[in-house]
Amino acid sequence: MKNESIIESLLFAAGDEGLTAGQMAAVLNIQIDELTKILQSMADSLIQDEVRGIMITSFGDEYRMMTKKENAAYIQQLAEKPSPKTLSQAALETLAIIAYNQPVTRIEVEDIRGVKTDRPIATLCARGLIEEAGRADAPGRPILYATTTEFLDAFQLKSITDLPPLEEGDIPMPQEADLFFGRFEEALDE
Amino acid sequence: MKNESIIESLLFAAGDEGLTAGQMAAVLNIQIDELTKILQSMADSLIQDEVRGIMITSFGDEYRMMTKKENAAYIQQLAEKPSPKTLSQAALETLAIIAYNQPVTRIEVEDIRGVKTDRPIATLCARGLIEEAGRADAPGRPILYATTTEFLDAFQLKSITDLPPLEEGDIPMPQEADLFFGRFEEALDE
Amino acid sequence: MMEYKVKIDSFEGPLDLLLHLIQQLEIDIYDIPAAEITNQYLSYVNTMQQLELDVASEYLVMAATLIAMKSRSLLPDHSSEEEDYMDEEDPRDELARRLIEYKKYKEAAGRLHELEEERTKLFSRPPADQLFSSNAEGPLNVSIFDMLGAFQKMTRRKKLAVPPKATVRREELSVEKRMKILKEKLWASKEPIRFDDLFDSNERNELVVSFLAILELMKQNEIVVSQKGNFADLYVTAGGNET
């Protein structure tokens, strides 16, 4: 059953965002009915198989891969044993996005990372590497974040302009607004 | 085998941050030897099992869960953005020279390439593939460069010793030594 | 002419150009014919200059080296003094050594490229937020390179198209269909409808389609949009040329 392998790859790579049956069926080029049947049997066997540590959950027609509940305590243990002197991948990613896009909201960071980012932001704030820098002019007036002088110290930078320039296309930017207004302008031109 | 389930959960949660054998062994409260044995058997059976779409890879002392190569095209179909650009020839040559000779100064790289190499080095730094590794004990104390763990990740190498061996090229070499011994033997025959 | 330009531009430096010539002319790298290679090399560099390409100084330095090598080869042959093993080194040997050294890494670069391509076929997922510890303390020991590495790792991940949240309807609406739905909704309502409430999906495509539909309806005078003042909510009413 090659389809099961592809579904596992897709759900894994989709992260916490999940995928709909429709999206997966389209990729596999099969009927949604057939897809949901495969998904159901995969989900069942994951639950029953003691050797497996992940499961498939569904919400509406959205499917997500998650760790099994009974292993939550072990994951928690991992979180409680931080390596003291370095930052985690999650924190470094978050920091990089803020440094290159500042000031920026949490939602924008999450949009780029594709995963929730409350905790990394809380820790970076607690560490004094980022700080609140006003509010965005958007619904809900979300907090904007920017790097601090401590950030410059920690990374031995004279100023924020000292950050190594990234190549064109390397900086993922939140683009929703641009797309929207791009099409809006097109429409006006007509 | 409950341990396998926990390991799967841990690797899944860690995502592309990966985990060391030590971290996992600590959580499971088992010896590292035992853990690596379990990991190895899990990795093997994932590769062999056609129904599975993920696999366990290792580089450095870090283990990570990844999608299988043969499913790449399906994931690409759902991807919002194209893959990041691959490196230019200039950057690749520079990286090769640094990787095989590290730590090495910019001047040494330029000696081999026969051309200025500031920009490729800046690009490689910005990509996190090389980093400064102290200063050479030479006039002007030039910066030394070495590859990073991100380099290992970007090229799927377990360690730096995993680099494909440098070939002497397909230019037929008149072997100095052979010539010498050839003549030596001739002399003995007389 | 264009072909030339592309070709010449694609050399990584004088050594790369020389390797190309050696290959093209099928020359033994250990016995480089100084005159021939110099002439070929100079004609390439000339073309580059004629095309007003920015010829790196390294090309000119190499040109000078080659010319010196060529003139030496044209000098009367000293090889009659065959016994003189202490003869100074043939400059061609030094050049061959450099070319071979460079070629080694040029080929290694090719193999790295293949590995890089293979790597783009593997994907992982973002680390779970719950894994992230918030009680890290002590002095920080990270460099800018750690940050850039993490950042690159992230760009290699694939962000898959996010399914629409909450609303399940996935069918794509055309602007025309959307206009019809909006019209029905507005005509059915006695009160003006708040502009924001006309968008019943957060999905980008749908937002754009709805928005275009409203613009079109305004243009056709099918609806009237009103606002009490700057930054106040917009209200939409059916109106204009009802038939």
Side-chain angles (χ1 to χ4, degrees), chain C:
Chain C
M1 239 10 193
M2 273 323 278
E3 279 172 44
Y4 250 117
K5 177 164 178 164
V6 171
K7 188 71 201 158
I8 286 170
D9 251 349
S10 68
F11 290 115
E12 290 298 330
L15 293 173
D16 199 21
L17 172 53
L18 278 174
L19 274 182
H20 170 76
L21 293 175
I22 285 166
Q23 207 168 23
Q24 203 176 45
L25 301 170
E26 297 180 357
I27 290 170
D28 178 359
I29 204 167
Y30 294 98
D31 190 19
I32 299 171
E36 192 176 359
I37 202 90
T38 305
N39 294 342
Q40 288 277 345
Y41 182 90
L42 290 178
S43 82
Y44 262 90
V45 171
N46 263 330
T47 315
M48 283 158 97
Q49 282 170 329
Q50 272 165 24
L51 291 168
E52 293 178 350
L53 295 178
D54 190 13
V55 178
S57 58
E58 292 94 340
Y59 282 98
L60 306 178
V61 172
M62 179 61 77
T65 310
L66 290 172
I67 291 168
M69 203 171 84
K70 178 180 162 186
S71 45
R72 189 188 137 117
S73 75
L74 296 175
L75 287 175
D77 197 356
H78 292 291
S79 57
S80 50
E81 310 150 41
E82 251 181 50
E83 272 85 86
D84 190 3
Y85 283 113
M86 304 308 284
D87 203 358
E88 59 185 297
E89 198 200 2
D90 188 339
R92 294 183 308 161
D93 291 348
E94 163 67 7
L95 183 61
R97 190 195 58 70
R98 289 190 65 193
L99 285 169
I100 288 164
E101 180 77 352
Y102 170 67
K103 188 168 185 284
K104 226 162 58 176
Y105 292 105
K106 184 178 152 81
E107 283 165 4
R111 286 189 293 276
L112 283 181
H113 180 68
E114 285 164 27
L115 291 174
E116 190 189 18
E117 296 260 275
E118 283 304 292
R119 175 63 179 84
T120 62
K121 296 179 184 157
L122 307 181
F123 307 99
S124 191
R125 66 187 293 284
D129 195 36
Q130 79 225 46
L131 191 90
F132 187 78
S133 117
S134 47
N135 55 5
E137 269 170 34
L140 208 54
N141 180 20
V142 285
S143 75
I144 198 84
F145 301 102
D146 295 323
M147 190 174 88
L148 293 168
F151 193 65
Q152 290 303 323
K153 204 178 245 191
M154 183 189 74
T155 61
R156 270 202 308 273
R157 243 159 29 207
K158 273 285 154 258
K159 199 174 167 214
L160 301 191
V162 181
K165 295 281 179 225
T167 43
V168 187
R169 189 165 39 93
R170 211 8 269 208
E171 149 197 29
E172 297 266 326
L173 280 181
S174 67
V175 175
E176 287 71 28
K177 263 194 190 161
R178 192 71 203 162
M179 281 166 67
K180 193 159 169 273
I181 293 172
L182 284 170
K183 259 172 86 175
E184 281 163 4
K185 189 168 178 179
L186 285 161
W187 257 264
S189 161
K190 289 197 180 78
E191 300 285 309
I193 297 179
R194 214 164 65 96
F195 180 78
D196 292 6
D197 295 338
L198 290 173
F199 298 87
D200 49 11
S201 158
N202 283 324
E203 205 197 339
R204 189 170 61 218
N205 274 340
E206 297 238 335
L207 284 176
V208 173
V209 168
S210 297
F211 195 71
L212 292 177
I214 293 171
L215 283 180
E216 194 56 34
L217 287 169
M218 278 171 70
K219 215 154 76 179
Q220 295 176 7
N221 277 328
E222 298 267 12
I223 58 171
V224 175
V225 180
S226 56
Q227 190 181 27
K228 288 231 167 72
N230 280 345
F231 310 114
D233 282 339
L234 287 168
Y235 282 92
V236 183
T237 23
N241 55 358
E242 192 178 349
T243 48

Side-chain angles (χ1 to χ4, degrees), chain A residues 64-162:
Chain A
R64 267 205 294 174
M65 205 177 252
M66 298 175 81
T67 53
K68 280 188 182 169
K69 293 224 169 52
E70 55 264 43
N71 292 343
Y74 297 96
I75 294 169
Q76 192 54 41
Q77 272 188 60
L78 209 53
E80 280 160 11
K81 285 185 198 138
S83 55
K85 48 193 194 337
T86 57
L87 290 171
S88 71
Q89 158 84 9
L92 286 168
E93 280 177 21
T94 305
L95 193 54
I97 294 167
I98 294 172
Y100 281 96
N101 295 291
Q102 57 188 308
V104 68
T105 65
R106 199 197 70 225
I107 303 292
E108 288 172 310
V109 175
E110 290 180 352
D111 190 47
I112 295 173
R113 288 191 65 223
V115 70
K116 271 172 65 101
T117 305
D118 310 65
R119 294 209 216 182
I121 284 186
T123 298
L124 292 171
C125 280
R127 283 232 172 225
L129 295 168
I130 60 169
E131 63 188 355
E132 295 183 11
R135 301 268 176 169
D137 200 7
R141 312 219 7 98
I143 298 168
L144 287 163
Y145 294 94
T147 55
T148 61
T149 48
E150 268 185 81
F151 163 78
L152 297 178
D153 272 0
F155 289 90
Q156 293 177 47
L157 297 166
K158 281 202 191 68
S159 85
I160 205 69
T161 55
D162 260 11

